[in-house]
Amino acid sequence: MDSRGVVITGLGVVSPIGNDVAEFMESLKSGKPGVRYIPELEELKFSCCIAGVPQDFAQIREKYFTDREASVMTEATAYAAVAALEAWKDAGLEIPNEDSPVDWDTGAIIGTGIGDMETIAQRIVPMVNDKKVRRMGSRIVEQVMNSGASAKVSGLLGLGAQATANSSACSTGTEAVAEAVWKIRAGLAKRMVVGGTEGPSPYTWSGFDAMKVLPRKFNDRPETASRPMSATAAGFVPGAGAGILILEDEQTALARGARIYAKVAGVHVNCGGQRNGGSMTAPNNQGVRRCIHGALQDAGVQAKDVDSISGHLTATFADPIEVQNWAKALGVAPGDFPLINSVKSMTGHCLGAAGAVESIAAALELHHGFLHPSINCEDIHPEIAPFEEKVVRKYTDYPELQCLAKASFGFGDVNSCLVFTKWNA
């Protein structure tokens, strides 16, 4: 690894609070909730009948793909493809045609948490059981393989450095950014198209409903259901969407005069090993703190330099534990704790896409000098009460914002942390 810097030059998003970056940012600023009642879930006898799902996406998709092209893409792949094309153009890059040469200097890492359960449940299982395998068609495999989104994007953009998918539960999107940073630092790519995507499906969400980790008491008021850091938090709201970032070698970006949103100064990924209290569904606190330490060390940043935290913060029992882990990792008392907020309070939990969507929010905050509110936490959890003054509950202008840390944690006791710093030319 060399010391070359990695910067963010393009952003693209499809989310419950906006299907492009401009709409997404305005929703962040205004604290707009994106969680809605989903009639299908009630029909299927789910206890949780709400979710955060991109709205009116079909209209957006029509701008990019014909009906025939769209028909062979799952929602997860379509989300990622639209977000990637937006990010590519946002970076000031030209969309290539089918006859353009391969871009050997650019690759894609686009992960997903669970993959396309919808196609498996609605098409593959019924057709196999009905002995109609020969009628499934020749495009079925590309629709269900976890690398379907990265493969589609690499084909649209002619990418030759890499086309792969990672999958680490709710840490997926954040980990994809880290892996891309390592790729660029190693000199194996000049540019990477990275992020995560997750489609909306009751088949994906059913297991979480069965685990009783989704909120059951807010079906009649969905906009108030996602409550990170709240005393009345009742579980995470399932969500869907995609977030794509264009990461670029700093010198390459400068040479072409690219607009730079922020620098990815430090990254770290680890696993708690499901020891010392860690399990398939709970974190080893030592692993969490080591991950935060590792990202800060990689960035060359002191704990006192962190201005703000974009938390994982899912509205579960883990929220107070997470805040305490941040405090212990940074070695600070509540009065010196950085400001903290949660994108999930508006979007719900987009699973494999969450870390990427939240990284886009972080880049926008640094570039434009603001912090978005965490909504629905007017009743701070008693174990978080000492940090109450540090919870951002209304839009805040913050032009002096210089350093923002973002972490994600997931099933399997997996952790990833990124340190973003403001680009100061």
Side-chain angles (χ1 to χ4, degrees):
M1 296 287 180
D2 64 25
S3 59
R4 69 183 66 194
V6 179
V7 296
I8 302 168
T9 58
L11 303 173
V13 67
V14 173
S15 82
I17 60 171
N19 292 330
D20 59 51
V21 170
E23 184 185 7
F24 178 72
M25 184 168 69
E26 288 308 308
S27 296
L28 284 175
K29 289 182 174 182
S30 63
K32 178 182 178 180
V35 177
R36 296 167 178 83
Y37 167 69
I38 308 295
E40 182 186 9
L41 297 181
E42 184 170 10
E43 294 167 6
L44 293 170
K45 304 300 182 183
F46 273 58
S47 296
C48 173
C49 301
I50 57 178
V53 177
Q55 298 297 294
D56 304 317
F57 178 69
Q59 298 174 18
I60 304 296
R61 183 173 52 198
E62 289 174 0
K63 297 178 181 179
Y64 291 89
F65 304 107
T66 65
D67 289 344
R68 183 176 181 179
E69 290 171 332
S71 70
V72 294
M73 282 190 279
T74 65
E75 287 291 89
T77 295
Y79 288 168
V82 168
L85 291 172
E86 181 192 13
W88 191 260
K89 291 189 291 185
D90 186 52
L93 299 166
E94 184 177 347
I95 304 295
N97 58 46
E98 293 182 356
D99 297 324
S100 64
V102 175
D103 180 355
W104 298 109
D105 293 322
T106 306
I109 303 175
I110 302 172
T112 184
I114 293 182
D116 184 52
M117 292 290 287
E118 193 74 14
T119 300
I120 293 171
Q122 294 280 22
R123 292 183 58 196
I124 293 180
V125 172
M127 294 186 80
V128 170
N129 289 343
D130 290 343
K131 302 177 177 62
K132 297 179 179 178
V133 173
R134 295 179 182 177
R135 299 184 185 178
M136 284 196 295
S138 61
R139 307 297 293 272
I140 197 74
V141 173
E142 68 188 70
Q143 293 175 33
V144 298
M145 65 186 193
N146 272 11
S147 58
S150 59
K152 181 64 179 180
V153 168
S154 66
L156 289 170
L157 299 176
L159 310 183
Q162 185 178 19
T164 192
N166 66 309
S167 186
S168 296
C170 306
S171 183
T172 298
T174 308
E175 182 182 288
V177 174
E179 292 193 7
V181 168
W182 292 328
K183 181 91 172 180
I184 293 171
R185 285 181 181 173
L188 300 176
K190 293 181 179 179
R191 186 182 300 112
M192 294 294 291
V193 182
V194 302
T197 187
E198 204 77 66
S201 173
Y203 302 105
T204 296
W205 302 332
S206 59
F208 299 115
D209 198 66
M211 291 175 68
K212 300 181 180 180
V213 296
L214 307 184
R216 301 173 169 218
K217 301 178 181 179
F218 295 89
N219 292 334
D220 60 341
R221 44 204 166 103
E223 68 280 354
T224 67
S226 189
R227 309 182 65 79
M229 297 183 284
S230 165
T232 49
F236 76 81
V237 175
I244 301 293
L245 303 89
I246 307 299
L247 302 189
E248 202 158 344
D249 170 78
E250 185 177 329
Q251 295 306 314
T252 300
L254 290 173
R256 67 181 187 87
R259 180 264 324 281
I260 294 174
Y261 282 102
K263 184 174 183 177
V264 190
V267 303
H268 197 77
V269 174
N270 74 359
C271 174
Q274 300 179 44
R275 301 291 190 274
N276 302 321
S279 68
M280 184 62 74
T281 57
N284 173 345
N285 294 327
Q286 184 181 9
V288 170
R289 297 194 291 266
R290 287 175 66 92
C291 188
I292 295 169
H293 282 150
L296 293 175
Q297 183 177 14
D298 187 48
V301 167
Q302 301 296 315
K304 63 180 177 59
D305 298 325
V306 178
D307 298 313
S308 180
I309 294 167
S310 173
H312 185 60
L313 298 170
T314 56
T316 64
F317 74 92
D319 286 2
I321 299 171
E322 178 182 343
V323 173
Q324 290 290 344
N325 276 328
W326 277 107
K328 291 178 181 178
L330 298 175
V332 295
D336 297 318
F337 194 74
L339 296 170
I340 186 169
N341 55 13
S342 171
V343 176
K344 293 185 184 73
S345 67
M346 290 172 268
T347 62
H349 192 344
C350 296
L351 303 177
V357 171
E358 293 159 18
S359 292
I360 289 171
L364 291 170
E365 288 177 308
L366 278 163
H367 186 64
H368 294 284
F370 74 94
L371 291 176
H372 69 77
S374 278
I375 64 173
N376 300 325
C377 59
E378 62 279 355
D379 57 337
I380 290 290
H381 191 287
E383 294 178 41
I384 301 177
F387 302 87
E388 183 169 6
E389 292 185 359
K390 301 299 183 176
V391 177
V392 183
R393 288 188 279 189
K394 63 180 181 179
Y395 169 83
T396 303
D397 280 317
Y398 197 170
E400 63 272 29
L401 180 64
Q402 293 289 323
C403 180
L404 191 155
K406 194 275 159 304
S408 295
F409 315 111
F411 279 15
D413 198 7
V414 295
N415 312 302
S416 54
C417 185
L418 310 173
V419 175
F420 301 103
T421 54
K422 188 177 184 69
W423 172 254
N424 295 302

